[in-house]
Amino acid sequence: MSQQETKQEFTGTITAVKARIRLLRSFDQISHAYLGYVLVLDGKLNGQPVEELRIAVGPKSHEKNQFRIGDQVSGMAVAVADEEKEWATHYRVSGLRLLARGPAEQVAPPNPDGGIAPPLPDYRARGHRRLDGKTYSANCQCCPFGLVMPTEITIDQWDPSKKRWRFETHCYGPRDCPMYRPGRPYQVPGRKPGMVWEDDDVEREKGGEDS
Ligand code: SF4
């Protein structure tokens, strides 16, 4: 068994609950893979303190537990195989235990200070807008609507083996959130040198999901 397949023991306190959604781009085409949730933890891995653990869990686990900031959890998980393609640090969780619940005031709609992350179909229905990376770091780390999305870019639709990966920050929250800053549009490379598409969210700003 390789090091990456070895189960590691985690324990910690949830500091944020985020949807785990992958963004798939092919020039001006955009689609999504709705994978589950990521529990951001202040905790320990194999008994050693770790700055930030991000544990991927399935939709059913969140539906059942309604994870919230302040919950204490433990379990076993495997380090992700490719850190370029996952914002989570660990997945394939087993033996997840909810040791203590966070404060009751966290049982609330999503907001900049936390609340309960909604079901994945809600994210899909809401759609997202780009979110300035510095704004995410300063204001959106606790908000279930603020996501760091692993983004797969298919450079040439006629040769899907040509891919690039990067992380993009996006907001699924209300349009009048006072924290919101869009930042610069994301640029998507095309198959020929110099081909670039600028994603300025125009379609999504008209309302509704894009794909
Ligand atoms: S800008 Fe978006 S992600 Fe940030 S706090 Fe507001 S709703 Fe949440």
Side-chain angles (χ1 to χ4, degrees):
M1 188 179 284
S2 74
Q3 176 65 27
Q4 283 192 320
E5 289 169 340
T6 306
K7 289 258 179 185
Q8 298 173 298
E9 188 181 352
F10 66 85
T11 182
T13 304
I14 293 177
T15 59
V17 181
K18 306 281 191 177
R20 180 177 170 225
I21 302 174
R22 185 174 298 154
L23 188 56
L24 306 154
R25 290 188 181 277
S26 177
F27 204 56
D28 59 351
Q29 303 298 305
I30 189 168
S31 60
H32 303 85
Y34 298 87
L35 302 172
Y37 296 85
V38 177
L39 309 179
V40 183
L41 298 187
D42 179 6
K44 293 181 179 174
L45 196 61
N46 292 336
Q48 298 298 315
V50 179
E51 195 169 319
E52 184 174 278
L53 278 169
R54 297 190 292 268
I55 309 289
V57 297
K60 282 202 163 42
S61 182
H62 181 57
E63 186 183 336
K64 176 180 159 205
N65 294 300
Q66 297 287 282
F67 293 111
R68 63 204 208 214
I69 289 175
D71 283 350
Q72 290 176 32
V73 296
S74 68
M76 306 287 288
V78 175
V80 298
D82 191 338
E83 293 175 3
E84 216 184 13
K85 299 177 181 175
E86 287 283 355
W87 186 64
T89 58
H90 292 76
Y91 52 16
R92 292 170 55 193
V93 171
S94 58
L96 182 67
R97 292 179 62 206
L98 195 43
L99 306 172
R101 299 286 357 205
E105 57 262 31
Q106 279 293 329
V107 184
N111 64 77
D113 296 322
I116 305 291
L120 293 176
D122 285 19
Y123 281 91
R124 186 185 180 114
R126 299 182 72 90
H128 59 83
R129 296 173 295 160
R130 69 178 186 271
L131 173 62
D132 175 57
K134 286 185 183 154
T135 301
Y136 173 86
S137 299
N139 299 323
C140 308
Q141 296 207 38
C142 296
C143 178
F145 284 142
L147 304 188
V148 182
M149 299 169 76
T151 303
E152 177 193 290
I153 304 171
T154 302
I155 302 295
D156 183 349
Q157 61 175 318
W158 308 113
D159 180 4
S161 65
K162 281 190 190 164
K163 305 229 188 253
R164 269 188 220 164
W165 287 82
R166 69 187 183 199
F167 292 99
E168 297 186 9
T169 43
H170 291 270
C171 168
Y172 280 83
R175 283 155 201 275
D176 59 355
C177 177
M179 307 291 186
Y180 182 72
R181 299 284 180 280
R184 291 165 63 181
Y186 287 107
Q187 298 207 323
V188 186
R191 63 193 167 87
K192 292 185 183 161
M195 258 177 94
V196 172
W197 181 67
E198 192 163 271
D199 182 1
D200 59 6
D201 292 336
V202 167
E203 291 303 316
R204 276 161 281 158
E205 287 296 341
K206 284 180 190 160
E209 172 64 309
D210 40 24
S211 61

